[in-house]
Amino acid sequence: MTTFDDRERAFETKFAHDEEMNFRIIARRNRLMGQWAAQKMGLSEVEAEAYAKDVVRADFESAGDDDVVRKLLGDLTGANVEIDESAIRQALDHKFVDARRQIIEQTNL
């Protein structure tokens, strides 16, 4: 093995780790968003957990956050919660920070 091969393998390993961490952070963020929206809609604890899982699944429809935003906006407005897209996107940003912190704390245990 050459130094170049070792560096390439290290880069590929880091890239795979970073991608996995990002996936876990986004999934956690979406679950937190589901819980946040469920609270706004007045759902029970059992309903909130099921709804949070639905929000996580909604993210697999297309790349990016638009599918999650669409689901949340539609469900919240359908439940007569006054909210707009910018408020949801702002909450996404806040929940991303929370999710990242949680995942990092979890991996450092």
Side-chain angles (χ1 to χ4, degrees), residues 17-35:
H17 177 264
D18 290 350
E19 287 297 305
E20 179 187 348
M21 288 295 288
N22 192 50
F23 176 82
R24 291 177 60 201
I25 292 168
I26 296 295
R28 176 72 57 94
R29 180 209 61 188
N30 291 342
R31 185 175 65 80
L32 293 173
M33 283 299 295
Q35 292 169 340

Side-chain angles (χ1 to χ4, degrees), residues 21-33 35 91-107:
M21 288 295 288
N22 192 50
F23 176 82
R24 291 177 60 201
I25 292 168
I26 296 295
R28 176 72 57 94
R29 180 209 61 188
N30 291 342
R31 185 175 65 80
L32 293 173
M33 283 299 295
Q35 292 169 340
L92 276 172
D93 292 341
H94 291 291
K95 296 301 181 190
F96 181 86
V97 172
D98 293 342
R100 186 173 189 276
R101 182 181 32 78
Q102 289 176 12
I103 293 294
I104 289 172
E105 287 173 359
Q106 185 180 40
T107 57

Side-chain angles (χ1 to χ4, degrees), residues 5-96:
D5 291 335
D6 291 342
R7 289 181 65 192
E8 183 178 19
R9 186 174 302 114
F11 177 77
E12 289 171 355
T13 301
K14 182 181 179 337
F15 179 79
H17 177 264
D18 290 350
E19 287 297 305
E20 179 187 348
M21 288 295 288
N22 192 50
F23 176 82
R24 291 177 60 201
I25 292 168
I26 296 295
R28 176 72 57 94
R29 180 209 61 188
N30 291 342
R31 185 175 65 80
L32 293 173
M33 283 299 295
Q35 292 169 340
W36 172 82
Q39 180 185 20
K40 292 194 171 299
M41 292 186 286
L43 301 180
S44 72
E45 190 174 322
V46 172
E47 292 170 325
E49 189 58 35
Y51 184 74
K53 289 178 184 177
D54 286 344
V55 174
V56 171
R57 280 190 290 272
D59 192 29
F60 298 119
E61 292 176 15
S62 64
D65 296 333
D66 290 341
D67 42 2
V68 173
V69 171
R70 252 189 325 274
K71 175 170 183 45
L72 291 168
L73 185 59
D75 293 346
L76 286 165
T77 56
N80 295 320
V81 175
E82 283 201 35
I83 197 157
D84 61 7
E85 184 177 334
S86 65
I88 291 172
R89 289 193 183 275
Q90 184 177 23
L92 276 172
D93 292 341
H94 291 291
K95 296 301 181 190
F96 181 86

